[in-house]
Amino acid sequence: MDLADIGVTGLATMGRNLARNLARHGYAVAVHNRSHSRTEALVKEFGGEGTFIPSEDLAAFVASLKRPRRAIIMVKAGAGTDAVIDQLADLMEPGDMIVDGGNAHFEDTRRREAALRERGLHFVGTGISGGEEGALNGPSIMPGGSKESWEALGPILQDISAKVDGVPCSVHVGPDGAGHFVKMVHNGIEYSDMQLIAESYDLLRQALGATPAELAEVFREWNRGELDSYLIEITAEVLDQVDSETGKAFVDVVVDQAEQKGTGRWTVQSALDLGVPVTGIAEATFARALSGHPEQRAAARSLAGPALSGVGGRELIEDVRQALYASKIVAYAQGFDQMAAASKEYGWDLDLGAMATIWRGGCIIRAKFLDRIRSAYDANPNLPTLLADPTFAGALEAAQESWRRVVTTAVQIGVPTPGFSSALAYYDGLRRDRLPAALVQGLRDFFGAHTYRRVDKEGTFHTDWSGDRAERPA
């Protein structure tokens, strides 16, 4: 029988659309799902889009693949992924590859890659961003794994990925778990980006008394400038939506509890392990957590706060735009710092400019200013922070007065803006010549003899706080 170029197992929305994308690009695609009815439905409805080779079980699925076999798993992350990997691995031969296209934790990917490498199999943890539309029409694809697997798989992934200026939004990210790590950070930045947008909307609505439809026009205007991005674009669409049942603004009939699938939390946990401050992502994650405690929020509703009042007009809108852009720069800078730290910790040799390049299209955080990030790393691959790049430093300087007014206004009228506030605090902390960490270190030495270093000589010291308070080398 004819053999497939590549296979997809797991035909929920993302897997089905990825299989269709592959078929539309001329690849013969083996398809399998635990429930065969879903496989049959795919072939019946979309069989005209290309060549699909359906299988009822995994053994037939593997048998239908050309060597070296390339099988993409699109199943829910966790124990189910391990089960499918184990079944596929038992049916495969050395040189074959298993591609995990789900949102797996990068440490799980590192574990799986090492185990399959021992068996002569390639395991490719692959971040795929763009949702169901991206999976079908061209996502941003972030594969990890070995260089050998990239040689066999890469041309296919680049073929089906989004393209910006003719450049595929897919590149070999690095070994073992690098692909899923970069996708995790992408999602963390996505959390921060959405939180900042939500704060912009909330502050303008509360301060100006603007309607969602009026604010939709504000976001459309912003999307024509330096904030041009997919998330700003769809914000205008959501704010403009009217609920057909009640006639109210759609945003007013949605329960104000933001859910999460865990990637934001993973990003923050990893950042803590790496010692990288990703305050914007952390605040966005905690804001979702706060929204998910309605009983506490109800109990606190009677707490005192300032009276809301009109505090500005077009000038406030421009200030919020500037604050949003500045805070967005900080969020991305922190995410890129985290990738740089992980690259060093795990020996991945990540090309940060390339990460900005493949995020320009297909993915959720695609934005015009990613070109500026790519240019910053092209100019200085060892850039210690994006905030030090002349272009971004200039943008932050131009925005800082507006940024400070926005945070001040939010405090005055009692609108929570943890994203704006934490981004500004990070900016101010990073630019300070001296931080109060010196006092923290003194306190640690006082109660726990944790020692400290001095600014005027080498070495580590401890003061005998409970005795003669003399300083001695530690």
Side-chain angles (χ1 to χ4, degrees):
M1 68 175 185
D2 292 335
L3 296 178
D5 301 302
I6 193 166
V8 178
T9 179
L11 301 177
T13 302
M14 284 290 290
R16 179 189 64 195
N17 282 1
L18 192 67
R20 291 174 60 197
N21 187 353
L22 288 160
R24 287 176 172 188
H25 280 81
Y27 299 102
V29 187
V31 287
H32 167 266
N33 194 76
R34 185 174 60 178
S35 170
H36 188 57
S37 60
R38 186 168 280 175
T39 308
E40 292 176 319
L42 167 64
V43 175
K44 180 179 179 180
E45 188 173 357
F46 303 109
E49 294 183 340
T51 302
F52 295 102
I53 301 175
S55 297
E56 290 195 42
D57 57 58
L58 278 176
F61 172 74
V62 172
S64 70
L65 294 169
K66 292 178 183 177
R67 292 180 174 82
R69 300 178 179 95
R70 293 167 287 208
I72 303 176
I73 300 172
M74 298 296 291
V75 300
K76 187 177 180 179
T81 303
D82 278 316
V84 175
I85 290 170
D86 290 343
Q87 293 174 58
L88 282 175
D90 288 341
L91 295 165
M92 287 184 158
E93 300 172 348
D96 292 345
M97 63 192 71
I98 298 173
V99 183
D100 180 9
N103 270 336
H105 192 283
F106 79 97
E107 289 287 13
D108 287 336
T109 302
R110 298 187 75 215
R111 168 179 58 80
R112 292 162 179 158
E113 193 276 336
L116 292 185
R117 191 181 342 121
E118 290 292 318
R119 301 175 61 172
L121 299 173
H122 296 285
F123 185 72
V124 185
T126 302
I128 300 176
S129 178
E132 57 185 274
E133 180 184 348
L136 180 61
N137 298 315
S140 174
I141 309 177
M142 298 154 257
S146 65
K147 291 182 179 179
E148 293 80 7
S149 65
W150 171 251
E151 290 173 2
L153 183 67
I156 297 177
L157 298 184
Q158 290 190 323
D159 196 14
I160 68 167
S161 72
K163 311 293 188 302
V164 176
D165 300 327
V167 178
C169 292
S170 181
V171 70
H172 182 228
V173 174
D176 56 74
H180 275 145
F181 186 92
V182 167
K183 174 57 162 55
M184 177 191 75
V185 173
H186 164 284
N187 285 18
I189 294 173
E190 179 186 306
Y191 272 52
S192 184
D193 220 339
M194 286 192 286
Q195 176 65 24
L196 292 168
I197 289 171
E199 290 178 17
S200 300
Y201 149 76
D202 191 30
L203 181 57
L204 289 174
R205 188 170 187 186
Q206 297 303 321
L208 304 180
T211 67
E214 290 169 338
L215 293 176
E217 289 306 312
V218 169
F219 279 93
R220 285 197 180 95
E221 182 181 335
W222 288 355
N223 200 48
R224 289 190 279 269
E226 60 193 0
L227 284 171
D228 179 0
S229 68
Y230 174 68
L231 284 172
I232 294 290
E233 175 189 340
I234 66 172
T235 296
E237 296 300 313
V238 172
L239 290 177
D240 224 7
Q241 181 73 6
V242 175
D243 177 52
S244 59
E245 186 173 332
T246 64
K248 296 180 179 179
F250 167 79
V251 73
D252 288 338
V253 301
V254 176
V255 174
D256 60 338
Q257 296 176 32
E259 298 179 358
Q260 51 187 310
K261 292 185 176 179
T263 46
R265 184 168 62 250
W266 291 350
T267 308
V268 176
Q269 290 169 339
S270 166
L272 289 170
D273 291 337
L274 293 167
V276 178
V278 291
T279 54
I281 298 170
E283 290 293 354
T285 305
F286 289 135
R288 292 195 189 191
L290 175 63
S291 77
H293 288 277
E295 70 291 340
Q296 291 181 335
R297 293 167 57 197
R301 200 128 312 143
S302 61
L303 293 176
L308 296 179
S309 60
V311 293
R314 294 296 304 183
E315 66 276 12
L316 179 61
I317 293 174
E318 174 58 17
D319 279 350
V320 172
R321 185 192 70 81
Q322 294 266 22
L324 176 56
Y325 186 57
S327 300
K328 184 183 179 81
I329 292 171
V330 169
Y332 278 71
Q334 292 178 347
F336 276 80
D337 288 347
Q338 184 172 359
M339 289 190 290
S343 181
K344 183 177 180 180
E345 175 71 17
Y346 302 114
W348 287 338
D349 194 26
L350 297 183
D351 181 342
L352 298 181
M355 299 308 100
T357 298
I358 65 173
W359 286 350
R360 294 184 305 156
C363 70
I364 303 303
I365 64 171
R366 58 186 185 265
K368 180 180 179 180
F369 97 131
L370 281 160
D371 279 323
R372 297 183 180 181
I373 295 179
R374 181 188 60 180
S375 297
Y377 283 110
D378 285 346
N380 182 3
N382 298 314
L383 192 65
T385 170
L386 277 173
L387 273 58
D389 172 75
T391 298
F392 289 119
L396 292 169
E397 181 180 359
Q400 71 152 331
E401 294 304 323
S402 290
W403 200 1
R404 296 182 194 283
R405 282 195 295 268
V406 164
V407 172
T408 301
T409 298
V411 171
Q412 288 175 335
I413 67 174
V415 173
T417 55
F420 285 151
S421 302
S422 66
L424 181 58
Y426 177 84
Y427 170 79
D428 281 337
L430 204 60
R431 68 179 185 80
R432 283 284 297 279
D433 179 55
R434 290 276 293 170
L435 291 170
L439 176 57
V440 172
Q441 200 61 9
L443 296 173
R444 293 181 73 243
D445 188 61
F446 191 105
F447 67 70
H450 292 298
T451 73
Y452 54 88
R453 290 177 291 116
R454 295 177 58 97
V455 298
D456 54 359
K457 55 185 173 181
E458 295 295 322
T460 304
F461 302 90
H462 166 63
T463 293
D464 185 5
W465 297 100
S466 60
D468 61 6
R469 299 211 170 191
E471 180 180 84
R472 298 178 177 86

